[in-house]
Amino acid sequence: MSESLKGTVLLVDDDPAVAKVLGALLGQAGLATHTARNGTEALSLLERWPVDVVVSDVRMPGMDGMQLLAEMGRLWPDVPVILITAHGTVPLAVEAMKAGAADFVLKPFDREEILFTIRKALLRAQGEATNEPLRTPSAFVGSSQRMLEAQALLAKAATGMATVLLRGESGTGKELAAKAVHDGSPRHAGPFVKLHCAALPDTLLESELFGYEKGAFTGAATRKPGRVELAHGGTLFLDEIGDISLAVQVKLLRVIQERELERLGGTQTVKVDVRFVAATHQPLEELVKAGRFREDLFYRLNVVPLWLPSLRERPEDIEPLARHFLDIHARTNGKPPFTLTADGLAVLRAQPWPGNVRQLQNFLERLVVLSDGQTLTGDDVSRELARQPGLTTPVLTPPQGVTALASPAADSGRTLESQRKGTEKQALVDALARAGDNRTLAARLLGISRRTLYNKLEEHALL
């Protein structure tokens, strides 16, 4: 990894030699480091210094890495934790991910691997985008228990070769999950090919899947490989598999069972090496009972079933999702960063979001495009909600203890920048007072990271 990294990493290891070597490696990459010999020392240091990422050994005397991870989730949930151990097993890795670990690396670790892993964690922590494909399901935004469980299962499923069936409502991120399975698998260097089965009629779907020979039908001027062939050596993602006809199901079953196919109009058998990932929002069990979906195909697809939770089941993820999408859409539309107020967030949380994450993302994009300012309040959100069918526009009052800020019009003699700084400083002071000077809690109240809080406190001479 050639580019210089920026940030502060806390290294937690009871072996001084390991901490020294890793510290030197990170220093060469441009990172500042602190070291601690166990979880207790790490917590003490985190109280005094802002840290972007924690890299911790698992087995240590006193408070070990898993216990430290639990405390981090309670006290500093915005700081990603990477666990390193020579005693790693798949069950331990899954347990760590369920508990909130950002990643898991085994000793002896490769220099590029550890830098790549830390870079991913830094980018997520600092809200930056990366063009490198993530090789873990960490592409998902959210740290709710339901989402962590789904990510842990995705990580476990990715390492194998079995067929994965993704279930869940529309808009829950099934395509993102399929890509995460591919990126985390031994086939990540191979092609990731996707096909939306519900978007095509039978005739086109069959030719898209299996390809065709020249002259197979009118318009077939040349031989064309299908999506199954194109995915050779990689992964084929079949979205909305529950919508395919019984005739196509028969042919697909043969491909999955035998790993071979014949193109339309052809007689030659083509061997394929493909991993299948399918997705549907349909109740396949009911379709099987009704005779609309083959039972043998269902069992072939349902080797590793994985359900993605709806947004209603993980309302605590609405805030990080909203801030994530606001940041993306602001940059995409060439606008400065947006601020979502507490009452604006409360309005978003009160919605049913039947279209799940996709609907929330589209709604926030409209807010960004149509907004005249960079602060989105409850009124702004409600105004746009009124234009959307199926969503409500609750009337909300500020939470108890939150004092409404004075209207900028009352200070019309001051510049916009001075008003912004004054308002921001007062918000910091109020948050610290409400949090009893607990800076971690203050950062949560303000909806920002501890690193951002420290930067703002320094900017306003409040440290």
Side-chain angles (χ1 to χ4, degrees):
M1 185 165 303
S2 57
E3 74 268 32
S4 178
L5 304 179
K6 294 182 180 179
T8 302
V9 179
L10 172 59
L11 304 175
V12 190
D13 200 306
D14 60 322
D15 187 341
V18 173
K20 184 177 181 180
V21 170
L22 188 51
L25 174 62
L26 299 185
Q28 292 172 3
L31 293 167
T33 60
H34 298 294
T35 59
R37 290 174 295 180
N38 53 50
T40 304
E41 283 190 15
L43 295 177
S44 177
L45 192 147
L46 282 160
E47 289 284 358
R48 303 193 306 271
W49 298 98
V51 169
D52 295 297
V53 175
V54 172
V55 178
S56 175
D57 192 11
V58 171
R59 297 194 176 181
M60 298 179 291
M63 181 183 290
D64 64 17
M66 294 297 287
Q67 292 170 320
L68 173 61
L69 177 64
E71 286 299 295
M72 291 291 299
R74 185 176 66 87
L75 298 172
W76 295 285
D78 58 321
V79 179
V81 179
I82 298 169
L83 294 179
I84 300 181
T85 182
H87 310 279
T89 62
V90 171
L92 181 58
V94 173
E95 181 185 351
M97 292 191 66
K98 282 185 176 181
D103 223 321
F104 195 94
V105 179
L106 301 181
K107 295 178 183 175
F109 49 79
D110 177 77
R111 176 184 185 278
E112 292 300 320
E113 178 189 11
I114 192 67
L115 288 177
F116 176 73
T117 302
I118 291 175
R119 178 175 182 265
K120 287 190 298 180
L122 281 169
L123 292 175
R124 290 195 298 270
Q126 297 168 358
E128 297 175 7
T130 176
N131 293 323
E132 293 190 43
L134 299 180
R135 296 190 180 174
T136 69
S138 54
F140 284 97
V141 176
S143 57
S144 65
Q145 186 62 33
R146 292 297 303 275
M147 202 67 247
L148 290 176
E149 290 174 358
Q151 291 186 52
L153 290 172
L154 278 173
K156 190 172 183 180
T159 60
M161 294 292 295
T163 301
V164 177
L165 179 60
L166 300 169
R167 311 286 295 271
E169 297 178 8
S170 295
T172 50
K174 293 188 287 293
E175 182 176 336
L176 185 63
K179 188 65 166 63
V181 169
H182 172 74
D183 287 345
S185 76
R187 294 172 168 255
H188 60 78
F192 176 73
V193 179
K194 54 188 178 182
L195 179 63
H196 193 288
C197 299
L200 298 172
D202 269 6
T203 52
L204 287 180
L205 178 59
E206 195 171 345
S207 63
E208 279 295 302
L209 270 174
F210 310 118
Y212 52 81
E213 297 286 351
K214 180 179 179 180
F217 50 83
T218 303
T222 61
R223 170 190 286 179
K224 181 181 178 182
R227 300 293 179 95
V228 179
E229 284 185 76
L230 293 175
H232 184 80
T235 304
L236 177 63
F237 172 48
L238 300 174
D239 197 8
E240 298 303 348
I241 192 72
D243 290 7
I244 66 174
S245 69
L246 289 170
V248 177
Q249 289 176 34
V250 173
K251 295 188 176 183
L252 180 60
L253 176 62
R254 181 198 171 194
V255 175
I256 296 176
Q257 285 180 328
E258 310 296 335
R259 292 300 195 269
E260 61 182 31
L261 58 86
E262 292 176 4
R263 303 185 192 99
L264 293 182
T267 56
Q268 181 182 3
T269 299
V270 179
K271 293 287 185 179
V272 289
D273 175 22
V274 176
R275 183 185 193 180
F276 291 89
V277 177
T280 184
H281 71 282
Q282 300 268 27
L284 292 184
E285 295 84 354
E286 294 181 16
L287 294 183
V288 169
K289 291 179 181 179
R292 293 165 51 195
F293 200 89
R294 292 183 62 98
E295 186 175 25
D296 47 5
L297 177 58
F298 171 69
Y299 287 127
R300 282 288 179 179
L301 294 172
N302 200 43
V303 179
V304 181
L306 197 150
W307 288 82
L308 293 179
S310 67
L311 197 52
R312 297 183 305 281
E313 297 173 278
R314 52 183 187 114
E316 58 268 48
D317 287 338
I318 289 179
E319 179 176 2
L321 282 167
R323 300 193 189 284
H324 173 71
F325 291 137
L326 286 174
D327 178 59
I328 288 177
H329 294 317
R331 284 187 279 118
T332 302
N333 289 278
K335 292 192 173 188
F338 278 75
T339 298
L340 180 65
T341 64
D343 62 328
L345 175 62
V347 175
L348 290 177
R349 281 178 168 165
Q351 306 313 308
W353 300 115
N356 294 294
V357 178
R358 184 185 298 121
Q359 185 182 21
L360 175 65
Q361 179 180 5
N362 293 339
F363 176 79
L364 291 168
E365 184 173 15
R366 285 192 292 273
L367 271 180
V368 168
V369 171
L370 299 175
S371 176
D372 294 324
Q374 269 59 59
T375 299
L376 298 175
T377 67
D379 288 341
D380 297 322
V381 176
S382 296
R383 191 178 306 112
E384 183 60 28
L385 283 171
R387 304 189 182 104
Q388 307 301 315
L391 294 176
T392 58
T393 54
V395 178
L396 297 171
T397 57
Q400 184 177 3
V402 178
T403 304
L405 298 175
S407 169
D411 283 326
S412 57
R414 299 166 59 198
T415 66
L416 179 62
E417 181 62 15
S418 65
Q419 291 184 60
R420 184 195 68 79
K421 287 185 175 181
T423 300
E424 187 172 83
K425 183 175 183 178
Q426 187 59 48
L428 291 167
V429 172
D430 290 345
L432 286 170
R434 290 164 56 201
D437 209 32
N438 182 317
R439 294 179 179 182
T440 298
L441 179 56
R444 291 186 197 175
L445 292 174
L446 292 168
I448 59 178
S449 67
R450 289 177 70 247
R451 164 67 67 179
T452 301
L453 176 67
Y454 275 90
N455 290 340
K456 292 295 184 183
L457 291 176
E458 184 177 7
E459 177 185 338
H460 293 286
L462 293 174
L463 277 176

